[in-house]
Amino acid sequence: MATAAPTLSSQEVNNARFNAEAAEWDNNKKHVESVQKCLEALLRYVPELADERGKNFDVLEIGCGTGLLSLLLAPRVHSLVGVDTAEGMIDAFNKKVAALPSPDKANLAAVNVLVQDADDIHVQGAAAALATRRGESGKDHPYRFDLIVSHLTLHHVPEMAPLIVTLFQCLKPGGRIALTDYEDFGPEAVPFHPKSKREGVQRHGIKKEEVETIILGAGFNEVRVERAFVLRKEVEAENGKPEREMDFPFLICLGRRS
Ligand SMILES: C[S@@+](CC[C@H](N)C(=O)[O-])C[C@H]1O[C@@H](n2cnc3c(N)ncnc32)[C@H](O)[C@@H]1O
């Protein structure tokens, strides 16, 4: 009798997909364009990042991938720790960072972990290593962050509510989240991913009211979930509709831990 192949968890499906895509990730112009638009939105919604005040920010990035956003943010902030569940993405991140001149990589680190606890030893270790590298090891423990960002990752997370609670706990008092992902604006949002990439997708974009409720429920103040930018991209032919270009709105999800 044939033995059934073991069923992969959605996390394993995602990790396999992103491990396979990591080496070519940055060569996709739409990946680069969406991150550029994300950065522009962050500079508008978190204005400290646009001036010297950002230099005081310790940033945590969830789903940092190859570091497309991390490397743009790093020169604007004090430190940035990226986390990602796909080892291949972290390897690509580390290769890029290793090639930077020493002063440019002093405040950047990434770890391959699923963060479920603010005191996660990998995150704490990365933050401590950055502090030591910068001669700041006397800083308070455990490490907490001023800003948490995440781009195009929430739609892969099986349960958003526990993650948002963990993010709340990862923040310093006064710290903020600024999370971006494409919006679920109805069935038309489904073609954002071609059929071949839909298996590890937990939701076809994020819903404004649902995320707002989750962020409020986690204890955040100053909660806002707004359309921040639009990404135009080609989608494949499906359900009798031809290959075409579509506009996908992106939401920015904001909240502050008071
Ligand atoms: C669509 S990619 C975006 C990567 C990067 N933010 C960018 O825009 O180039 C989503 C990333 O989130 C990671 N990911 C998925 N679920 C995650 C989780 N729960 N925690 C951390 N990373 C996760 C994936 O491994 C992948 O690298």
Side-chain angles (χ1 to χ4, degrees):
M1 203 169 77
T3 325
T7 318
L8 295 181
S9 70
S10 61
Q11 189 65 66
E12 287 167 328
V13 170
N14 267 324
N15 289 350
R17 174 190 158 196
F18 289 114
N19 285 339
E21 286 192 41
E24 289 302 315
W25 188 262
D26 293 6
N27 294 331
N28 182 321
K29 286 186 184 147
K30 284 293 152 184
H31 294 164
V32 176
E33 185 185 336
S34 88
V35 163
Q36 188 57 46
K37 289 188 166 190
C38 167
L39 177 71
E40 287 162 15
L42 289 173
L43 297 182
R44 289 198 309 276
Y45 283 92
V46 187
E48 293 92 331
L49 290 173
D51 60 45
E52 282 303 303
R53 290 172 295 169
K55 290 276 183 197
N56 296 318
F57 280 8
D58 291 314
V59 179
L60 175 66
E61 182 181 356
I62 305 293
C64 60
T66 62
L68 282 176
L69 179 62
S70 335
L71 268 73
L72 294 176
L73 281 177
R76 299 180 173 276
V77 302
H78 181 253
S79 75
L80 187 145
V81 174
V83 298
D84 199 288
T85 43
E87 195 179 3
M89 292 299 233
I90 295 296
D91 289 346
F93 181 113
N94 285 335
K95 246 185 230 161
K96 273 159 59 173
V97 171
L100 294 175
S102 288
D104 295 350
K105 59 187 169 199
N107 67 344
L108 254 178
V111 278
N112 177 212
V113 67
L114 171 68
V115 178
Q116 293 176 299
D117 176 1
D119 293 337
D120 178 277
I121 53 166
H122 303 91
V123 173
Q124 292 297 316
L130 283 183
T132 304
R133 209 186 285 169
R134 295 164 62 90
E136 298 164 353
S137 40
K139 282 184 89 174
D140 290 345
H141 296 268
Y143 290 91
R144 296 290 184 255
F145 298 88
D146 300 285
L147 177 68
I148 302 178
V149 299
S150 175
H151 181 57
L152 272 173
T153 300
L154 287 178
H155 69 271
H156 289 294
V157 174
E159 282 189 72
M160 287 189 289
L163 173 68
I164 302 291
V165 168
T166 303
L167 300 189
F168 183 88
Q169 290 160 352
C170 287
L171 288 168
K172 299 175 189 173
R176 275 173 283 175
I177 50 169
L179 319 172
T180 47
D181 207 339
Y182 73 102
E183 182 177 8
D184 176 353
F185 57 102
E188 285 292 297
V190 174
F192 184 87
H193 290 93
K195 275 194 219 156
S196 61
K197 294 187 180 171
R198 284 183 201 159
E199 200 186 343
V201 169
Q202 294 294 328
R203 56 190 66 75
H204 294 290
I206 52 171
K207 290 185 177 151
K208 182 177 166 10
E209 286 75 21
E210 183 187 2
V211 191
E212 251 165 19
T213 305
I214 290 174
I215 298 175
L216 282 165
F220 282 94
N221 290 313
E222 299 176 27
V223 176
R224 278 161 71 196
V225 179
E226 294 181 3
R227 280 193 180 177
F229 60 91
V230 170
L231 183 73
R232 190 169 183 77
K233 74 175 212 154
E234 222 168 73
V235 300
E236 67 187 9
E238 194 181 356
N239 297 333
K241 290 189 179 162
E243 189 179 291
R244 62 208 183 279
E245 290 212 317
M246 276 184 66
D247 284 337
F248 291 94
F250 274 64
L251 297 175
I252 189 159
C253 313
L254 303 160
R256 187 188 290 276
R257 175 179 185 161
S258 39

